[in-house]
Amino acid sequence: MGLFRRGPKRDGRDAPRDPEFSFFSADEGARFRAQVREAFAEQGLEVTVYTDMVSDSAGRQFGLGNLAAVCHNDERGPRVWPELIHQHVGMVLRTMDAPSALETLPAEQIRAQLYPRVVGAEGLDPRNFAYARAVAPGLYEILALDLPESVMMLTDEALEPLGDLPYLRDQALYNLRGLPIEAHETVKDSEGMRFEVVLGDSFYTASRVLALETLVRQVTGEELTPDGALVAMPFRHQLAFHAIHDTGMLPALNAMAAFAATGYEDTPGAISPYVYWWHGGTLTQLSDRDEDGEGLQIMIGEEFQELLERLVAKEERPPGDEN
């Protein structure tokens, strides 16, 4: 998985855009949906295709957003879309037709395959996920069951027979901390700006922000200080961080804001286009879109301003002056 995504050469941005997925041209969107219909037909299922989903005669609905983004982001271009769509449709139907893992797996195995996931509020029905814990404005932590071909986000009803929620969350965090680091890259420039990016095919890579102290130790060999770190989770397969030690966090903050906004666009599993300050397990949003929605702005609250002033004052002290 690449650090910076490069879109394939397809129809130019001046071509008429698809009404639902603007990263497609109108022609690309029509071709994509035709291939989706064909893939379902190959599996013996006739579906009605809408702009953002398909439905079958039994009323089952299958969203197209993630699949469209997967196709868009594959650097090989439209020639591989039929293969990607065929694989996705097959996986979806096998998952739906199979007995529920919650009914077939022993409780011990279910607990061993539990992980926490950080997800955006969009698409998260509060009627089914009342237990979801807010981790930042618009971001929530839920529990998921990791299966060979899919990830099952667990609703209130699904969790009820599994046991006490705090215990299940502790188990999920324990499993998260035990995941291997699939890939790590350092983003830096000649001026000293630097931040780290952890990447992976795991659906829980970005969610490792919930165990950030462990992750930073694994990646850098160092412990986080009480000042915490800057973090960004543009989509589920990326987590960026900069451990705060000095005012070098300021160029990192600006670079990470652009990194997060770019990585968030048109990605499957998008989480957040913003940068956050992680301190003591709390996430405080530091970047946002500007008033016209075209650019970015940095938002510094009172507590972060105090941190910045303290770091500036520390660097301005004469050598040897620790007071």
Side-chain angles (χ1 to χ4, degrees), residues 96-132:
M96 293 194 70
D97 293 338
S100 171
L102 295 173
E103 298 174 356
T104 59
L105 293 179
E108 182 177 347
Q109 186 173 349
I110 289 175
R111 289 192 290 269
Q113 295 173 206
L114 275 183
Y115 291 90
R117 282 192 67 182
V118 175
V119 297
E122 184 177 349
L124 192 67
D125 189 341
R127 294 171 297 180
N128 295 323
F129 293 90
Y131 76 91

Side-chain angles (χ1 to χ4, degrees), residues 18-180:
D18 183 83
E20 181 67 29
F21 306 121
S22 61
F23 46 77
F24 285 156
S25 69
D27 287 344
E28 288 169 343
R31 187 188 322 158
F32 165 76
R33 293 181 183 86
Q35 291 169 350
V36 168
R37 178 187 284 113
E38 182 177 345
F40 274 101
E42 290 173 353
Q43 297 286 338
L45 190 65
E46 292 297 327
V47 295
T48 301
V49 182
Y50 300 95
T51 57
D52 61 343
M53 68 174 185
V54 302
S55 66
D56 65 10
S57 58
R60 297 184 300 180
Q61 297 181 344
F62 310 86
L64 297 179
N66 272 357
L67 178 56
V70 166
C71 290
H72 166 66
N73 283 289
D74 196 297
E75 296 179 359
R76 295 170 294 177
R79 65 184 175 84
V80 301
W81 290 2
E83 175 188 353
L84 296 174
I85 293 169
H86 177 81
Q87 291 174 350
H88 180 83
V89 169
M91 179 273 293
V92 167
L93 292 179
R94 285 192 300 273
T95 300
M96 293 194 70
D97 293 338
S100 171
L102 295 173
E103 298 174 356
T104 59
L105 293 179
E108 182 177 347
Q109 186 173 349
I110 289 175
R111 289 192 290 269
Q113 295 173 206
L114 275 183
Y115 291 90
R117 282 192 67 182
V118 175
V119 297
E122 184 177 349
L124 192 67
D125 189 341
R127 294 171 297 180
N128 295 323
F129 293 90
Y131 76 91
R133 185 178 73 92
V135 296
L139 298 182
Y140 294 87
E141 174 195 334
I142 62 170
L143 296 182
L145 180 62
D146 192 61
L147 300 170
E149 287 195 315
S150 63
V151 171
M152 180 187 296
M153 298 199 300
L154 299 179
T155 62
D156 299 311
E157 183 180 0
L159 281 177
E160 187 174 355
L162 299 181
D164 182 62
L165 180 58
Y167 169 75
L168 294 175
R169 181 173 183 269
D170 286 345
Q171 180 65 51
L173 285 170
Y174 174 82
N175 296 338
L176 185 71
R177 294 187 182 101
L179 289 176

